[in-house]
Amino acid sequence: MSELFAGHPFWALLVAACLLWYSTITLAVAWRGIADIRRMLRDLRPPAHEPSSKEPRP
Amino acid sequence: MRLSLVDGSIVALYLLATLAAGLLVRRYVSKVEDFLVAGRQMDVHLGIASLAATEFGIVTCVYAAQNGFRYGFAGATPGILMALAMLVVGYTGFGIRPLREAGVMTLPELFEHRFGPRVRWASGVVIVLGGLLNMGVFLRTGGEFLVEVAGLGAADPGSFFSTHRLEIVMTVLLAIVVLYTALGGMLSVLVTDFVQFVVMSGGLLAVSLLLLAQVGWGALVDAVEVHRGAAGFDPLAHPEMGWPYVLFNACLNLATVLTWQTAIQRVMSARDARTGQQVYVRSAFFFVARFLVPGLWGIAALAALGPEADSLRAMPQWLGAFLPVGLLGLLLAAMLAADMSTDSSYMLSWASVIYNDLLGPWRRGWSERKGLLWNRALVAAIGAFLLFYGLWYPLKGDLWTYLGVTGTIYLASMSTLLLACCYWPRANDWGAAAAIVLGAAIPVAWLVVEQLPATGEWARAHVGPYWSGLAAYAGSALGMVFGSLVKPAPGSVR
């Protein structure tokens, strides 16, 4: 780690922050994205009686 | 062939999972609105996955690595500028909040409310022209990367597969993407983007951590210091970059965040404006990673192969030799994921503008079924265009600059129109028309002048892509102001 920050600390910090942030957001999105997909598909499921696909768009 | 059975199995498993996910959700598509903006039911985490997966394709990986190879760490400057633009626009809602609240599906649809149907149509033409030219190089770049990294056809040089391996890879890749995008539209894109984001991120992180562990930070810094000097750490000190590069990229990235159809389609698919803003804020830092992570790979290729290597092919060549069995398969799956998510979103975006805005005058009274059929046909037609354009267009020079210049054809005028439409009451259709013409004419003129043998050298030496790009943004804004002021205000005509 000390070698990482020895040369050009701005870029070293940015690289370290990138990898840390990217790992965290990947885990968060992988976990909560599934719930988002379920909710989206539930809300999009059309009622059985609704003939929505035949109606013209205004 | 470098690809082992383990690597091939990982890739095949990923392809099957994506195709299944994309096809399973097609039954939820019953209206054009479901097809184009997923019924506006997208939440924050799915939005982050989709935006990140869309805006990171193999082409992104290749140009960001090329930037790392050519400019060192300074090559990540566009990513930092884009992250800043995403943060500012996401926090303030500048431009995107009124866009989402208008309830439109495309930018030109919003412009019609303010500037009339002709401006809507002209905006659609500019968006599709700039977007398709920009996207035209994606497929070839992706195919070349996959062929290079996997070493496809290398074992049997004279065979049919070896001779046509690029065309075969491009066609198979495109056929899978067209199939699920045409059937499921934005819903398939969002669901497959989620799978692709997870696979892509796993691969990117694993390769980068292995690189830092095996090559080491010191070796990367040394390679930049030796081959690029101080300019490799400071964009302003670089002779090919400097202020024009930074300013052009600042304009380009702000305009991208505000108006690039694939980005704002996530805002318009969001449940509400606040969700769209949160997607922007929370994915902002991804855009630093989008340049810096492949940039590290490019720097590693510079360290291993030296500055004389081909800047476009150095990174895939180095990766193919560097990665062990298993990780190569994961990287290939990650890159396939990145490429497929980008291609599907881009095809859907341009198809949505063609359907919603260019076909607008002729599709009144169409049923939802007919609308869906047309949208699916448009996605397939764009796929066919990509295949043929990708096969014959020879890419030369700096890939990011090509994408920036072709993107500017639409970004310069559309960002001007959006800001004027939302925030300048005096703006009118004359100003919009002038902004569209100037915003497109300047980058097109640059592309033509740069390609002509008689003028190419002079144009590159005295004008360059950054000044011509800046001129497009300035010209478009001036056109809007001048055109709007020249037209008499409605109340002043007796």
Side-chain angles (χ1 to χ4, degrees):
Chain A
M1 189 58 84
S2 59
E3 187 211 15
L4 184 67
F5 296 106
H8 301 280
F10 170 77
W11 291 108
L13 274 172
L14 200 60
V15 168
C18 256
L19 295 177
L20 187 67
W21 176 89
Y22 196 13
S23 312
T24 313
I25 199 82
T26 301
L27 291 175
V29 166
W31 178 250
R32 300 190 65 177
I34 293 174
D36 282 5
I37 290 175
R38 281 195 185 132
R39 194 161 42 239
M40 179 179 76
L41 295 180
R42 188 191 61 215
D43 293 350
L44 281 172
R45 187 174 293 143
H49 62 277
E50 188 183 323
S52 56
S53 64
K54 306 283 186 191
E55 290 168 3
R57 194 165 172 249
Chain B
M1 182 185 277
R2 291 188 203 110
L3 209 59
S4 69
L5 186 64
V6 176
D7 296 322
S9 305
I10 294 171
V11 172
L13 189 68
Y14 157 72
L15 284 175
L16 276 175
T18 302
L19 196 57
L23 294 180
L24 275 173
V25 297
R26 75 185 191 282
R27 63 197 171 96
Y28 292 91
V29 178
S30 57
K31 296 183 290 186
V32 171
E33 193 179 45
D34 299 341
F35 190 87
L36 295 182
V37 287
R40 301 190 199 274
Q41 297 296 330
M42 188 195 78
D43 274 317
V44 176
H45 293 91
L46 188 55
I48 294 170
S50 183
L51 184 61
T54 296
E55 296 305 328
F56 191 98
I58 290 181
V59 71
T60 323
C61 188
V62 170
Y63 68 62
Q66 188 186 33
N67 267 20
F69 186 91
R70 291 177 65 164
Y71 307 128
F73 290 97
T77 306
I80 298 170
L81 292 168
M82 186 152 183
L84 288 173
M86 293 286 289
L87 267 181
V88 170
V89 171
Y91 269 121
T92 60
F94 180 64
I96 59 167
R97 176 173 274 276
L99 180 64
R100 176 62 187 88
E101 287 175 346
V104 295
M105 287 197 275
T106 56
L107 270 181
E109 192 180 345
L110 176 74
F111 297 156
E112 184 178 20
H113 298 166
R114 182 71 188 275
F115 303 123
R118 286 182 185 170
V119 170
R120 175 181 184 174
W121 204 83
S123 303
V125 169
V126 170
I127 286 176
V128 171
L129 177 71
L132 287 180
L133 271 179
N134 191 271
M135 192 194 177
V137 298
F138 286 13
L139 197 62
R140 187 183 193 90
T141 314
E144 282 177 349
F145 177 92
L146 293 171
V147 165
E148 193 74 55
V149 173
L152 295 177
D156 190 10
S159 66
F160 176 82
F161 178 74
S162 178
T163 312
H164 299 284
R165 60 191 189 277
L166 182 63
E167 291 81 354
I168 292 169
V169 168
M170 284 165 63
T171 308
V172 171
L173 197 65
L174 194 69
I176 296 173
V177 176
V178 167
L179 182 65
Y180 73 71
T181 310
L183 289 175
M186 189 62 167
L187 270 177
S188 286
V189 168
L190 285 177
V191 173
T192 53
D193 276 357
F194 171 73
V195 178
Q196 287 155 349
F197 173 78
V198 175
V199 174
M200 174 186 96
S201 303
L204 290 178
L205 286 165
V207 172
S208 302
L209 292 174
L210 184 74
L211 183 159
L212 285 173
Q214 292 208 347
V215 178
W217 174 254
L220 298 177
V221 170
D222 286 349
V224 175
E225 274 176 351
V226 169
H227 298 300
R228 307 296 179 219
F233 301 91
D234 179 1
L236 299 180
H238 201 289
E240 291 176 40
M241 299 168 97
W243 279 111
Y245 181 89
V246 175
L247 286 176
F248 169 65
N249 276 287
C251 291
L252 177 71
N253 285 307
L254 180 61
T256 301
V257 167
L258 288 171
T259 60
W260 194 243
Q261 182 66 24
T262 54
I264 58 167
Q265 205 158 10
R266 269 75 201 155
V267 175
M268 292 184 283
S269 301
R271 282 186 185 274
D272 47 41
R274 187 177 153 72
T275 306
Q277 286 180 244
Q278 283 181 333
V279 169
Y280 265 37
V281 170
R282 294 194 196 176
S283 32
F285 202 62
F286 173 79
F287 290 88
V288 179
R290 178 180 181 246
F291 268 80
L292 204 50
V293 167
L296 288 179
W297 302 2
I299 294 170
L302 176 69
L305 306 175
E308 303 306 320
D310 179 343
S311 63
L312 267 179
R313 304 182 76 175
M315 183 271 287
Q317 276 173 1
W318 169 79
L319 273 180
F322 173 72
L323 293 177
V325 170
L327 201 52
L328 180 62
L330 181 61
L331 174 82
L332 283 175
M335 289 296 110
L336 275 170
D339 212 43
M340 291 165 78
S341 56
T342 304
D343 288 348
S344 60
S345 288
Y346 273 64
M347 283 194 292
L348 185 68
S349 289
W350 313 135
S352 70
V353 176
I354 296 173
Y355 173 82
N356 200 45
D357 306 308
L358 298 188
L359 292 178
W362 296 280
R363 63 174 174 76
R364 297 188 200 289
W366 283 11
S367 66
E368 292 288 348
R369 187 187 293 266
K370 190 173 179 183
L372 282 173
L373 188 68
W374 266 91
N375 272 292
R376 287 174 171 145
L378 285 169
V379 168
I382 291 172
F385 161 81
L386 280 184
L387 193 62
F388 289 110
Y389 188 88
L391 284 177
W392 64 259
Y393 186 81
L395 188 67
K396 291 179 288 187
D398 187 333
L399 183 54
W400 171 243
T401 303
Y402 168 84
L403 294 173
V405 172
T406 51
T408 298
I409 291 173
Y410 116 40
L411 288 169
S413 55
M414 292 304 106
S415 51
T416 304
L417 260 69
L418 176 67
L419 297 183
C421 175
C422 296
Y423 302 111
W424 193 36
R426 186 74 173 83
N428 56 43
D429 56 336
W430 284 22
I436 290 172
V437 170
L438 285 170
I442 296 171
V444 168
W446 159 256
L447 283 175
V448 172
V449 167
E450 191 209 13
Q451 291 291 328
L452 290 176
T455 52
E457 201 171 320
W458 174 86
R460 281 186 289 274
H462 294 94
V463 185
Y466 313 129
W467 283 117
S468 76
L470 284 169
Y473 289 97
S476 186
L478 286 173
M480 171 59 80
V481 172
F482 187 73
S484 298
L485 294 179
V486 164
K487 184 177 181 179
S492 66
V493 179
R494 289 166 190 267

